[in-house]
Amino acid sequence: MEFDLSRVAENIRMYRARKDISQRELARLTHSHPGSVFKWEDGSVVPGVNKLFAIAEALGVTPNDLVGWTAKN
């Protein structure tokens, strides 16, 4: 599996939109700065592992959903 930063950025944007919360609200839920959320969503910064788990929890998805990895049967 290959890590794709643009996919992570796209997935964070998509799941945040589905949850209908603002960047500011996601920042509050993940104990982050709103500017960090902007950078995650534009793909200029990749969230660290702990932050990725916090984002996933806030959005009601798994870290694998955010990274775009799926289990192969």
Side-chain angles (χ1 to χ4, degrees), residues 13-22 29 56-61:
R13 281 191 311 270
M14 176 187 66
Y15 288 118
R16 183 178 60 77
R18 284 185 184 176
K19 188 96 169 166
D20 194 28
I21 62 174
S22 67
L29 292 170
E57 184 177 340
L59 297 178
V61 299

Side-chain angles (χ1 to χ4, degrees), residues 25-33 40 51 54:
E25 179 65 6
L26 182 57
R28 186 187 69 74
L29 292 170
T30 59
H31 306 285
S32 304
H33 189 275
W40 301 334
K51 202 54 75 172

Side-chain angles (χ1 to χ4, degrees), residues 36-53:
S36 296
V37 176
F38 177 83
K39 290 177 181 179
W40 301 334
E41 291 188 357
D42 79 359
S44 62
V45 172
V46 62
V49 173
N50 289 340
K51 202 54 75 172
L52 192 69
F53 274 82

